[in-house]
Every structure is written in C-alpha cells, then in structure tokens.
Amino acid sequence: MVDGTNGREMTYGELTGRAFRLAQALVQDGFHRGEVAAICLPNGPQFPVCFLGITTAGGAATTMNPNFTEAEMAKQLADSGTVIAFTSDELKPKIASAGGARLRKIWTIEELDALPLGGAFASPAIDPDDVAALPYSSGTTGAPKGVMLTHRNLVAMQMQMEPVEATGPDDVVLAVLPFFHIYGLSVILLLALYRGARLVILPRFEMETFLGAIERYHVTRLPLVPPLILRLANEPRLDDFDLTSVRTIISGAAPL
C-alpha cells in the first residue's frame, strides 16, 4: 500500500505483522470473540491494519464515517454495541463523548504506529459464520441499519467477483472511495489485498491530487462512482497529466 498524500509505503509483510500485533494486543486487553470495535478513520494504510486486527482477534468491525456529527456517531456506537474504537487524535474527544461509558478503550492511529511488528500469534477460534464486518446502510429508506457480514460473506464476495473482475498482482488500484462504505471496503480494499495488487490510498477526492497520483504511481484501475466519473468527463486539466497507464474504470453504487 502507498499513502498517496506522502508516499509512505507498507508492504504485505508489514501489514500482516501489524494486524497480528494489534490482534494480540486486543486479546491481551480483554477483547473477546464476538465483540464489536469501531473504525472511524479516513482512508489510509492504518485502516486495513485496524480491520484485519479486529477480525483476526475474533471481533466484528463497524465502520463509521469520520464526518458524522457526534449524535450520528453516538447512535451507531450504541446500536452496534461497540466496546472499543479506533480513530485519530483529532477525532478522539468526539468519539469519547459519543461513546460514553460503554467504550472501554479508544485507540488512535498514532498509538498503532508505536506497536512493534507482531511475531507468532494464535488467533482465537473463528467460525466462518461469525460476524466480521458491521457497516451501516445509507439510510435512504429510513434510519441507517447495521448490516451483519460474516467472514463467509466477505470471502464469497471476493470469489463471486472472480469471473467478472480481473484485478491482479500487476495492477495498481487507486483507492479514493471511503473504506467505511462497503464498496470501498470489499470491492476496493479487500479485493486488491486478496489479489495481491498495489493500493494507492487517498483520504479524499481532490482533482489535482487524484490525477497526480495516477501519473506518479502508474495507476491501472480506477474504481469510481458516477459523480466522480462525470467530473472527470468535464475536467479541462486531464491533458495536463499522463493517464495512459489506466486500463479499467469501474462504475458502481449508482446508475451511470
């Protein structure tokens, strides 16, 4: 993975080591199989560290929009039964206020950076039908609802994309859509990791940064949504960047 804002890289080996070390720290801290931990972060290499650490420890990760109001955060934290949260130094006070006494601990990504790379770790027994992810719906037909996705669900999602989706280890995937959304989590983040691709991660969409990342990292695949594709179609600065590495653009989440 590459942080597209500063060029910092994380190898697959480092990702595995950090995820196992976090899982080990969680278990040692009393986090149990079946408990829920929240991730409230913008896109970045630490997001998959948190997600994989939580699930390796036997827990379920509820992914939360960092732009939520405190009231929206409080509702999701309570509804999901979250006991631990992962966030940034900046958002920690807001999460603490929203979570109240039910939150046993709040980890910041700055604290995760201080964890040493993990060694051997015996993961708790996990059933394929245990809940692994608890993202919340957009609430278009009422209040947002937690969607219980099991380990088997997430694996099946990767497998069913095999006949129609050709991401491979030679691909460079630009991840600008939010990982807290299931498109960003499953179809971009988990799929790229499963297929051994390189992920270039951006925390938000800014046209010049986006186009510059494509040129700098020779991005081959762009998973996008219709509003971003329409902006690209009308962007006058496209010719200022070398975008010839792009082979595939994927549109999802809404009609194009």
Side-chain angles (χ1 to χ4, degrees):
M1 297 181 294
V2 183
D3 186 328
T5 63
N6 56 31
R8 292 179 185 167
E9 298 184 356
M10 186 183 295
T11 67
Y12 275 86
E14 288 171 331
L15 172 60
T16 302
R18 289 178 185 275
F20 277 131
R21 178 64 188 96
L22 177 55
Q24 193 171 40
L26 285 169
V27 171
Q28 290 171 350
D29 212 36
F31 186 69
H32 300 298
R33 173 186 171 191
E35 289 191 308
V36 178
I39 305 174
C40 186
L41 290 168
N43 283 12
Q46 290 291 14
F47 195 107
V49 172
C50 295
F51 183 83
L52 296 173
I54 293 164
T55 54
T56 299
T62 188
T63 52
M64 190 160 60
N65 187 342
N67 293 320
F68 268 178
T69 65
E70 186 177 316
E72 289 171 323
M73 289 180 178
K75 186 168 184 179
Q76 182 170 335
L77 292 171
D79 187 69
S80 61
T82 292
V83 295
I84 289 175
F86 293 89
T87 191
S88 63
D89 274 340
E90 180 185 3
L91 288 172
K92 184 175 180 178
K94 193 173 176 182
I95 294 285
S97 179
R102 77 176 64 87
L103 279 184
R104 297 202 300 262
K105 186 169 184 175
I106 301 174
W107 294 69
T108 66
I109 52 174
E110 291 77 12
E111 290 171 321
L112 293 184
D113 284 334
L115 287 174
L117 289 179
F121 169 64
S123 173
I126 297 170
D127 189 282
D129 292 320
D130 287 346
V131 175
L134 194 61
Y136 271 66
S137 66
S138 58
T140 51
T141 57
K145 302 167 185 66
V147 182
M148 296 186 290
L149 299 176
T150 66
H151 290 265
R152 192 189 304 274
N153 289 150
L154 294 176
V155 170
M157 181 64 173
Q158 307 311 313
M159 300 309 294
Q160 74 176 359
M161 286 190 283
E162 190 90 35
V164 296
E165 212 285 340
T167 299
D170 295 329
D171 275 309
V172 181
V173 181
L174 190 56
V176 69
L177 299 181
F179 292 153
F180 65 77
H181 188 281
I182 193 59
Y183 184 179
L185 177 66
S186 187
V187 182
I188 300 177
L189 175 61
L190 296 184
L191 178 67
L193 295 179
Y194 168 55
R195 299 286 183 82
R198 190 183 198 196
L199 267 173
V200 177
I201 303 173
L202 296 176
R204 67 189 63 84
F205 182 85
E206 294 171 345
M207 184 63 74
E208 192 162 339
T209 304
F210 177 85
L211 296 174
I214 296 173
E215 179 179 75
R216 179 179 180 186
Y217 296 106
H218 308 293
V219 170
T220 62
R221 301 184 72 84
L222 296 176
L224 300 174
V225 289
L228 296 188
I229 293 173
L230 291 175
R231 285 184 63 181
L232 285 170
N234 294 294
E235 175 54 52
R237 291 172 290 177
L238 288 185
D239 291 339
D240 297 338
F241 296 86
D242 181 1
L243 309 179
T244 55
S245 61
V246 176
R247 297 199 302 267
T248 304
I249 298 175
I250 300 137
S251 176
L256 177 65

